[in-house]
Amino acid sequence: MNKKKSQKKIIIQSIFLILLIVVTIVVVRRQHTIPYRNSKGLVFGTIYHVTYQSDRDLQNEIESVLNDVDNSLSPFNKNSIITKVNNNIDVLVDSMFIDVFNLAQKISVETDGAFDITVAPLVNTWGFGFKNDTHPTRAVIDSLMQIIGYQKVTLKDNKVVVKKDPRLMLDCSAIAKGYGTDQVARVLRENGVENFMVEIGGEIVTQGINSKRIPWRIGVTKPTDDSLQTNKELQTVLNVTDIAMATSGNYRNFYYKDGKKYAHTINPKTGYPVQHNILSATVIAKDCATADAYATAFMVIGLEKAQKILDNHPELMAYFIYSEKNGNNAVWYSPSLKDKIAE
């Protein structure tokens, strides 16, 4: 009797094993037959690219969520919530605005104001955003500094933005692209997509593997002042998957006036463009909005202060390219990032 039970058990186990093998083969074959699709377009004044593996075309879903983010956070959209806030028009904010505002305020506190979404008046005055080419005077900067400060704006009951000064304006450009990238990634996951890469203006979220069946590899561009250069040379390549990555670099956007170079990153605490040796800050985090904001903050505070913040946030990793005193470029990166460097 025991022998028959033993034989029956072996047969059942064998059948289960065969079924498991068959299911695995079917799943693997299906994974190989499902195509990788590409989607691209314009949003937030920049280009987005999405590569994803799916048996369905999700272009409409991707465009829909990007439109939602644009309608909430784009200052270039005349009807967006943030535009109405900046124009002091009464408006109830949506969930996307709430997400970004609360995260921005949290990172402002953690970076001692190096990241600050109230910096818009300074950005516009310095000639970025609306491309005003007038060099601001000290008196103008001092006047604007009276209305700059993340502590001067609150979100009442998660519904209405309250400003201490009606001249205060919000600029979420240093976090909105990352947030938009996160939202596209969310939509892909909700539609059953397991393998994808989303990129909006250099802010990236990856998951799973690429079409070559290997983890996603993302290049970090070598800093160069040649904005017209089309074939960008890479500083390094990172193996990043199931994670988000954002890069901020002053070498990408600057202008010369009276023989002096002005970077696009404005220090909210001084009112002037940053003047230190970091050329490029790449941050890796669980979500791209966080990576985006910290990358900007690190460009403001410089290498040493950025390293101290990283010590207090082991969940973040960073890759910095900076200029040494002799003018040569050098690299510093988080020790935890070492295993992700491909070359």
Side-chain angles (χ1 to χ4, degrees):
M1 189 71 177
N2 289 336
K3 185 176 181 180
K4 288 183 179 181
K5 286 184 177 180
S6 178
Q7 288 176 339
K8 185 177 180 180
K9 184 178 180 180
I10 292 174
I11 292 172
I12 292 174
Q13 289 176 338
S14 299
I15 293 173
F16 176 78
L17 181 59
I18 292 171
L19 289 174
L20 181 61
I21 293 173
V22 170
V23 170
T24 302
I25 292 174
V26 170
V27 170
V28 170
R29 284 184 175 178
R30 186 171 186 275
Q31 284 291 321
H32 281 280
T33 57
I34 297 176
Y36 275 78
R37 301 174 183 271
N38 292 289
S39 172
K40 65 179 181 179
L42 293 174
V43 68
F44 315 141
T46 190
I47 300 173
Y48 72 83
H49 296 88
V50 183
T51 299
Y52 61 100
Q53 187 183 30
S54 176
D55 51 12
R56 291 194 301 125
D57 185 343
L58 299 174
Q59 180 70 26
N60 290 338
E61 287 82 352
I62 292 170
E63 289 184 353
S64 177
V65 73
L66 287 175
N67 285 335
D68 289 343
V69 179
D70 188 83
N71 289 330
S72 178
L73 297 163
S74 174
F76 304 105
N77 182 337
K78 294 181 180 180
N79 297 312
S80 70
I81 290 175
I82 197 169
T83 297
K84 292 177 181 178
V85 169
N86 288 340
N87 290 333
N88 297 308
I89 298 173
D90 291 336
V91 59
L92 294 178
V93 299
D94 62 7
S95 61
M96 290 185 169
F97 189 99
I98 294 169
D99 287 345
V100 169
F101 184 89
N102 288 338
L103 178 60
Q105 294 294 80
K106 176 175 178 287
I107 294 176
S108 292
V109 172
E110 294 177 354
T111 61
D112 191 27
F115 183 79
D116 192 329
I117 60 173
T118 70
V119 77
L122 285 170
V123 173
N124 295 335
T125 297
W126 272 101
F128 308 103
F130 300 128
K131 304 299 181 184
N132 177 6
D133 193 36
T134 302
H135 190 115
T137 64
R138 165 66 74 174
V140 169
I141 297 301
D142 288 346
S143 175
L144 289 176
M145 287 299 292
Q146 300 304 309
I147 64 172
I148 302 298
Y150 68 93
Q151 309 95 328
K152 299 175 182 179
V153 60
T154 56
L155 194 55
K156 183 179 179 181
D157 300 325
N158 270 351
K159 292 181 180 180
V160 179
V161 175
V162 178
K163 300 188 289 186
K164 290 189 176 180
D165 190 307
R167 296 173 297 168
L168 186 148
M169 297 175 66
L170 303 182
D171 178 5
C172 293
S173 60
I175 191 171
K177 285 190 299 181
Y179 182 77
T181 307
D182 288 329
Q183 292 305 301
V184 173
R186 174 184 60 80
V187 166
L188 293 176
R189 293 186 185 105
E190 289 176 352
N191 281 274
V193 179
E194 297 179 356
N195 303 309
F196 62 78
M197 181 184 72
V198 182
E199 182 261 336
I200 301 178
E203 322 308 354
I204 297 169
V205 174
T206 63
Q207 180 173 299
I209 55 178
N210 61 24
S211 59
K212 296 180 180 179
R213 318 304 300 173
I214 59 175
W216 299 95
R217 305 177 79 202
I218 309 298
V220 177
T221 305
K222 183 173 290 187
T224 173
D225 284 354
D226 186 1
S227 60
L228 299 178
Q229 183 180 348
T230 55
N231 296 321
K232 301 294 185 181
E233 186 178 355
L234 296 181
Q235 179 75 39
T236 191
V237 175
L238 303 176
N239 287 314
V240 287
T241 192
D242 303 325
I243 208 162
M245 170 177 150
T247 298
S248 181
N250 280 331
Y251 65 94
R252 291 178 170 179
N253 192 355
F254 59 87
Y255 69 84
Y256 287 95
K257 189 173 181 65
D258 299 328
K260 190 172 183 179
K261 180 179 177 181
Y262 292 89
H264 82 295
T265 302
I266 306 299
N267 187 336
K269 305 192 76 173
T270 67
Y272 284 83
V274 297
Q275 298 288 329
H276 58 67
N277 61 349
I278 290 186
L279 301 174
S280 170
T282 296
V283 177
I284 295 176
K286 291 181 179 180
D287 64 271
C288 203
T290 296
D292 199 2
Y294 271 108
T296 298
F298 290 160
M299 291 303 304
V300 171
I301 63 179
L303 184 60
E304 291 184 5
K305 290 182 179 179
Q307 289 170 330
K308 291 179 180 179
I309 289 179
L310 289 167
D311 286 340
N312 294 324
H313 289 275
E315 76 279 9
L316 301 176
M317 293 181 284
Y319 187 100
F320 298 121
I321 305 172
Y322 63 97
S323 177
E324 296 181 308
K325 292 181 179 180
N326 59 12
N328 294 330
N329 288 359
V331 168
W332 182 92
Y333 54 83
S334 302
S336 55
L337 191 59
K338 184 176 180 179
D339 293 339
K340 295 184 179 296
I341 297 177
E343 56 181 60

